[in-house]
């Protein structure tokens, strides 16, 4: 008997496999939306598919589609098991080669897409995998029946994990390299804005991985919990500057919510190089190197005294490695009373008069010693003053690659032990190691024609325009269209520094500024509008203009 049982078992497994392959042509018709199926499709094919309910166990017991196998991710844990352990798990779910699988959750959630990812990563063919679009919520809304009756354990499947798709999984070294803004890759943060900006936290630090683009998982769903269409997913990516052929690394706190952008970008939006960083912030923040974690999206737009003391040191200047332009925008009398060494005095009025004339501004910057290849650090009498913000805007309008603002005043510089110079910084070759001279430069601008607008309707963007009134009082002119008020003074503390990112997000959100919009900031004084412009840049808004009238 024992000698006969083994061949019989083998024949039985082969027959199951052949049966599943025979049933495949009936499902070969394309699903309504790629890897998504709707309730009508599922109703028509219900007896032919393996239905997996990725909802948490209490939700499954409260009501599920008849015959659905509960595969609660939290019951297993989000960590990726060994291939052998995953094979055993998949077989316990009833997964066999050629068997069509539909995964669902409550709808508008990340559980189904994460189970989809686990199946796909472990080698289940794409043609066999689907997600029920809209989940249980849509199934019910369209008249689908649910039951609380326990699903009997499915017949054991025979799927074997022979290889994994490593091309859809990010590992820490690769993810870390991608977080460099110069990498040519995109890092996507699937958490909500409150987590991204540090108002909430999962672990001991709030914020986000450097250069992560905010794409909350919730934003990929419509109000009825279905996925947004391909065109909208592609528009969301374009708005953030993500190119169709770019490598995209999706992450979150623990690798579950991140499966939504991964799924939507790869299987709906056509971003074939999308990956999931399974370990996500859980691994990033546990790393013994203390990897950076930001709250602002562009903290490099802010500089402080400690940073400047190091990079402005005479020795670094003497060896030509400092690569800084210090531009003091205070009036000449204040500059003469004492200034940071090597600072060039270019009054804010110069930037105001040439705000819409980049060529004229360049003609003033070059002879003054501003090198277009080096970062400009703007120095004022109180952090982000309107004058400093206006200079920031004018330099970005001229195409200067790196511009920042010293958040400490000149007085604070001195109080913290910084040296003050009284003589104007000389432009020309240094006469010795202690000569605070700055070489003259040839300044060639690369003007942007889409930043400072005389017509607020010019240069339309991916999303509708929202106008932001930045002045202290009521503006004398108001454009046609949706307008929100966000006075620049509300965004700064008493020392002239932008408020913490979490507070800025709360104020921006309360004012009604959408995350996806073409923002046009305006005020009777363009310097006041420039403060709002700087803050939106600091917070990562990709499409911000300034209307000057």
């Amino acid at each position: 008997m024992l000698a006969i049982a083994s061949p019989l078992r083998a024949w039985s497994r082969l027959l199951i496999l052949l049966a599943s392959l025979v049933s495949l042509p009936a499902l070969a018709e394309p699903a309504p939306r790629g890897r998504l199926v709707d309730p009508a499709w599922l109703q028509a094919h219900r007896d032919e598919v393996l239905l997996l309910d990725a909802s948490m166990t209490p939700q499954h017991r409260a009501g599920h589609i008849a015959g659905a196998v509960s595969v609660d991710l939290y019951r297993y844990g989000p960590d990726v098991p060994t291939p052998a352990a995953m094979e055993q798990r998949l077989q316990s779910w009833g997964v066999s080669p050629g068997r069509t699988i539909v995964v669902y959750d409550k709808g508008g959630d990340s559980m189904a897409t994460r189970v989809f990812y686990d199946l796909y990563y472990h080698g289940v063919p794409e043609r066999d995998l689907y997600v029920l679009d809209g989940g249980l919520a849509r199934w019910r809304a369209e008249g689908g029946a649910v039951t609380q009756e326990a699903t009997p354990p499915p017949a054991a499947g025979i799927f074997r994990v022979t290889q994994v798709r490593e091309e859809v999984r990010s590992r820490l070294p690769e993810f870390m390299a991608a977080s460099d803004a110069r990498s040519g890759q995109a890092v996507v943060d699937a958490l909500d804005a409150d987590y991204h900006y540090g108002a909430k936290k999962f672990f001991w630090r709030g914020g986000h991985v450097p250069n992560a683009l905010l794409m909350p998982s919730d934003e990929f769903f419509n109000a009825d919990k279905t996925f947004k269409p391909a065109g909208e997913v592609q528009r969301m990516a374009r708005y953030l500057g993500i190119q169709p052929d770019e490598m995209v690394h999706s992450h979150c706190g623990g690798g579950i919510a991140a499966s939504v952008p991964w799924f939507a970008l790869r299987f709906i939006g056509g971003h074939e190089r999308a990956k999931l960083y399974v370990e996500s912030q859980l691994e990033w923040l546990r790393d013994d190197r203390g990897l950076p974690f930001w709250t602002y999206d562009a903290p490099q737009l802010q500089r402080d005294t400690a940073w400047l003391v190091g990079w402005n040191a005479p020795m670094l200047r003497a060896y030509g490695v400092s690569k800084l332009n210090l531009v003091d925008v205070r009036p000449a009398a204040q500059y003469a009373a004492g200034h940071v060494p090597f600072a060039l005095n270019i009054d804010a009025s110069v930037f105001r008069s040439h705000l819409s004339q980049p060529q004229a501004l360049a003609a003033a910057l070059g002879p003054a010693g501003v090198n277009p290849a080096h970062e400009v650090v703007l120095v004022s009498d109180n952090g982000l003053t309107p004058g400093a913000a206006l200079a920031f805007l004018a330099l970005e309008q001229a195409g200067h690659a790196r511009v920042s603002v010293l958040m400490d005043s000149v007085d604070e510089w001195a109080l913290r032990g910084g040296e003050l110079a009284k003589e104007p910084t000389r432009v020309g070759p240094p006469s010795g190691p202690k000569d605070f001279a700055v070489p003259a430069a040839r300044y060639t601008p690369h003007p942007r024609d889409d930043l400072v607008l005389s017509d607020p309707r010019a240069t339309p963007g991916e999303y509708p325009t929202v106008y932001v009134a930045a002045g202290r009082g009521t503006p004398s002119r108001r454009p046609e269209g949706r307008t929100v008020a966000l006075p620049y003074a509300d965004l700064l503390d008493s020392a002239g520094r932008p408020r913490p990112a979490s507070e800025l997000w709360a104020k921006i959100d309360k004012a009604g500024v959408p995350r996806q919009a073409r923002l046009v900031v305006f005020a009777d004084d363009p310097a006041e509008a420039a403060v709002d412009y700087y803050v939106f840049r600091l917070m990562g808004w990709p499409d911000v203009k300034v209307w000057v009238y």
Side-chain angles (χ1 to χ4, degrees):
M1 287 295 292
L2 288 176
I4 298 173
S6 182
L8 286 176
R9 187 178 297 110
W11 274 105
S12 176
R13 293 166 73 93
L14 179 60
L15 288 172
I16 292 173
L17 172 60
L18 290 174
S20 66
L21 293 175
V22 168
S23 67
L24 187 59
L27 299 179
E29 63 189 65
R33 289 178 58 195
R35 305 332 304 161
L36 295 171
V37 297
D38 59 21
W41 187 97
L42 182 57
Q43 289 276 22
H45 298 90
R46 179 64 197 88
D47 295 334
E48 305 163 16
V49 304
L50 173 62
L51 186 60
L52 302 180
D53 182 357
S55 305
M56 289 186 286
T57 301
Q59 294 172 333
H60 176 82
R61 290 173 177 165
H64 57 270
I65 302 173
V69 178
S70 176
V71 295
D72 179 358
L73 188 65
Y74 286 105
R75 200 164 68 227
Y76 300 101
D79 293 339
V80 176
T82 64
M86 192 63 190
E87 179 178 293
Q88 185 177 14
R89 183 183 301 176
L90 296 183
Q91 290 179 356
S92 74
W93 294 350
V95 178
S96 289
R99 184 85 183 271
T100 298
I101 302 168
V102 177
V103 189
Y104 78 91
D105 54 28
K106 65 182 181 180
D109 200 7
S110 56
M111 305 303 289
T113 51
R114 177 54 199 267
V115 170
F116 181 103
Y117 173 85
D118 287 340
L119 292 163
Y120 185 75
Y121 174 72
H122 285 95
V124 177
E126 178 182 333
R127 66 176 181 272
D128 296 339
L129 288 174
Y130 297 96
V131 169
L132 178 60
D133 196 16
L136 188 63
R138 188 182 181 197
W139 172 267
R140 279 177 153 163
E142 296 190 10
V146 298
T147 181
Q148 294 181 343
E149 185 175 338
T151 300
I158 59 173
F159 182 82
R160 300 293 304 275
V161 178
T162 58
Q163 62 182 2
V164 296
R165 290 188 174 93
E166 202 60 37
E167 71 273 12
V168 297
R169 184 174 179 186
S170 296
R171 304 285 184 166
L172 179 58
E174 179 187 20
F175 183 80
M176 188 184 305
S179 70
D180 186 331
R182 300 163 296 181
S183 70
Q185 302 178 58
V187 169
V188 165
D189 181 2
L191 296 177
D192 293 339
D194 283 343
Y195 290 97
H196 185 83
Y197 294 119
K200 296 179 181 178
K201 57 186 178 182
F202 279 118
F203 309 111
W204 67 281
R205 293 164 68 188
H208 59 269
V209 171
N211 296 305
L213 302 171
L214 180 57
M215 297 187 85
S217 58
D218 290 349
E219 293 185 358
F220 287 90
F221 297 104
N222 297 307
D224 65 356
K225 303 185 185 302
T226 58
F227 275 94
K228 291 181 176 178
E232 183 59 27
V233 171
Q234 291 162 358
R235 179 163 76 153
M236 291 167 65
R238 282 197 309 270
Y239 175 69
L240 295 175
I242 300 174
Q243 303 302 313
D245 60 348
E246 192 172 4
M247 189 79 76
V248 182
H249 306 261
S250 182
H251 80 292
C252 56
I256 297 178
S259 66
V260 173
W262 171 79
F263 178 87
L265 289 169
R266 188 178 183 94
F267 296 104
I268 300 175
H271 288 259
E272 297 180 354
R273 302 180 72 199
K275 294 187 169 192
L276 178 64
Y277 179 29
V278 173
E279 293 77 8
S280 285
Q281 292 178 8
L282 188 61
E283 180 178 51
W284 183 274
L285 290 173
R286 275 180 172 165
D287 194 281
D288 290 338
R289 290 167 290 185
L291 301 179
F293 214 53
W294 292 355
T295 53
Y296 299 112
D297 270 35
Q300 71 276 9
L301 302 184
Q302 301 180 102
R303 300 303 187 190
D304 59 22
T305 294
W307 184 91
L308 190 56
V309 165
W311 287 105
N312 197 45
M315 183 179 71
L316 298 187
R317 287 280 187 176
Y319 285 104
V321 297
S322 183
K323 300 188 184 302
L324 287 182
N325 302 293
L326 295 187
V327 175
D328 191 326
V329 299
R330 299 176 300 159
Q334 288 182 264
Y335 174 82
H339 60 85
V340 177
F342 300 103
L344 306 165
N345 187 210
I346 305 176
D347 192 299
S349 61
V350 174
F351 295 98
R352 180 183 292 272
S353 61
H354 298 316
L355 181 58
S356 300
Q357 303 168 324
Q359 296 290 347
L361 179 62
L365 297 178
V370 178
N371 188 326
H374 296 171
E375 178 178 345
V376 168
V377 180
L378 297 164
V379 182
S380 74
D381 56 1
N382 197 39
L384 186 63
T385 61
L390 191 68
F392 178 89
L393 173 63
L395 287 163
E396 290 216 327
Q397 168 77 351
H400 201 99
R402 292 179 66 87
V403 189
S404 60
V405 178
L406 179 64
M407 290 298 149
D408 299 323
S409 66
V410 174
D411 289 341
E412 287 174 297
W413 166 274
L415 288 172
R416 297 184 184 189
E419 183 179 356
L420 286 179
K422 294 294 182 70
E423 294 297 322
T425 300
R426 190 170 61 83
V427 178
S431 59
K434 293 189 177 181
D435 185 357
F436 288 168
V438 170
R442 180 178 179 181
Y443 197 102
T444 302
H446 300 280
R448 293 180 53 182
D449 58 5
D450 63 343
L451 184 53
V452 177
L453 308 177
S454 57
D455 180 357
R457 298 165 297 180
T459 65
E462 290 287 347
Y463 290 95
T465 298
V466 173
Y467 297 99
V468 181
R472 288 179 179 272
T474 303
S476 61
R477 295 182 63 181
R478 190 176 284 267
E480 294 183 4
R482 179 182 173 187
T483 301
V484 300
L486 194 63
Y488 82 92
D490 292 351
L491 306 179
L492 307 177
D493 64 18
S494 59
R497 299 182 182 90
R499 295 184 181 276
S502 58
E503 293 183 21
L504 290 176
W505 163 244
K507 288 181 176 294
I508 291 169
D509 187 43
K510 185 177 180 180
V513 179
R515 284 203 335 97
Q516 295 166 332
R518 171 184 179 263
L519 299 185
V520 177
V521 184
F522 70 101
D524 288 351
D525 182 353
E528 295 181 348
V531 176
D532 273 31
Y533 169 80
Y534 175 94
V535 169
F536 281 119
R537 286 272 287 106
L538 183 67
M539 295 291 283
W541 260 258
D543 190 2
V544 188
K545 321 292 183 190
V546 177
W547 176 34
V548 176
Y549 50 88

